[in-house]
Amino acid sequence: PEEMLFDRFNLYVANQGGFGVNNIVTVIDPTIDMVASTINVGDVPNSLQLDTNGDLWVLSGGSPAFTGNETGGTLTRINTASNQIITTFVFGMTDHPNYLNINGDDLYYFLAGDVFKTTTASFEVPTTPELSGVNFFNMFVVNNGATLIGCNAGDFASNGTLEIYNLQDNTLTTTLNAGIIPDNVYVNP
C-alpha cells in the first residue's frame, strides 16, 4: 500500500506494489472489516484525493522504465457511491506524475521537476507548469489553495528543506531546514 484515504464510509487503499507493479485500489468497508471491492486503475497508484463532489481521484505514476515494461501515468476519477470509474486520463508514455493534491476545484500534481495545475470540473492534462525546476519528494497545497509546501530531500543523505510557495504569484516565500528526507507535512487546521 502506498496511500490510504477514508471518505466517512469506505477506506480506499492505493496498492502501488512492492518489488513489482500493482494497479489496484482496494475498497474496505470498515463496518464489517472486509474488502468490499477492488478497482483496477493505472499502474503504480500513488495518490488519492476527494473532490468537492465526493468523487475519488487516483493518480497512478505508471510503470517506470527500469521494469522493462514502461507505462505512462494515468488519472482516474471514481464515483464513491458506486465505486465505478467515471473517466481515466492518460499521460504520455514516459510521464510519471506524483503527489496529487485537490483544493476546491483546483487539482495539482508533480511531474519531472514541475508542478501542474488544472481543474476537476474540466480536467485537461496541462502543458504549462505553475512551478518549474523544483525538486520535491512530496508536496501539499494548504491554506485554501494559497500555499504550496514542497518537501525537498536534496541528496537524500543530508538534511532537506521545506519550500513554501505563494500560489497567488507562484513565488518561493520561505525555505525551512528539515531533517533527512522530509516527506510529510501536517497542518493544524
Side-chain angles (χ1 to χ4, degrees):
E2 179 65 13
E3 188 170 307
M4 295 186 292
L5 182 141
F6 182 62
D7 76 343
R8 298 184 316 143
F9 305 104
N10 291 302
L11 179 67
Y12 294 89
V13 182
N15 297 293
Q16 187 174 55
F19 295 105
V21 172
N22 202 327
N23 67 342
I24 294 173
V25 172
T26 303
V27 184
I28 298 172
D29 181 341
T31 60
I32 59 173
D33 199 22
M34 300 283 294
V35 172
S37 65
T38 58
I39 305 167
N40 289 326
V41 294
D43 291 334
V44 192
N46 58 46
S47 307
L48 305 171
Q49 292 281 304
L50 292 172
D51 67 17
T52 56
N53 295 321
D55 292 335
L56 176 68
W57 292 72
V58 180
L59 184 62
S60 299
S63 184
F66 69 79
T67 64
N69 187 27
E70 185 172 17
T71 58
T74 61
L75 182 63
T76 305
R77 186 176 188 176
I78 298 168
N79 179 316
T80 54
S82 65
N83 289 324
Q84 298 296 311
I85 293 174
I86 297 170
T87 190
T88 298
F89 303 94
V90 179
F91 290 82
M93 182 60 77
T94 58
D95 291 340
H96 304 288
N98 209 338
Y99 317 136
L100 178 67
N101 279 254
I102 293 178
N103 192 288
D105 288 330
D106 293 330
L107 184 146
Y108 298 83
Y109 63 88
F110 179 84
L111 175 62
D114 296 329
V115 174
F116 291 90
K117 176 184 176 185
T118 186
T119 69
T120 58
S122 57
F123 181 85
E124 290 183 16
V125 176
T127 57
T128 305
E130 293 290 304
L131 300 173
S132 293
V134 294
N135 185 23
F136 294 155
F137 193 59
N138 207 344
M139 67 178 210
F140 305 90
V141 176
V142 297
N143 294 338
N144 295 319
T147 306
L148 182 141
I149 302 172
C151 299
N152 186 337
D155 63 6
F156 291 86
S158 308
N159 287 343
T161 58
L162 296 179
E163 298 172 3
I164 302 172
Y165 289 83
N166 176 336
L167 289 178
Q168 306 310 309
D169 59 10
N170 297 329
T171 58
L172 176 65
T173 60
T174 308
T175 300
L176 302 171
N177 292 324
I180 296 176
I181 312 175
D183 178 32
N184 231 321
V185 173
Y186 297 94
V187 177
N188 189 358

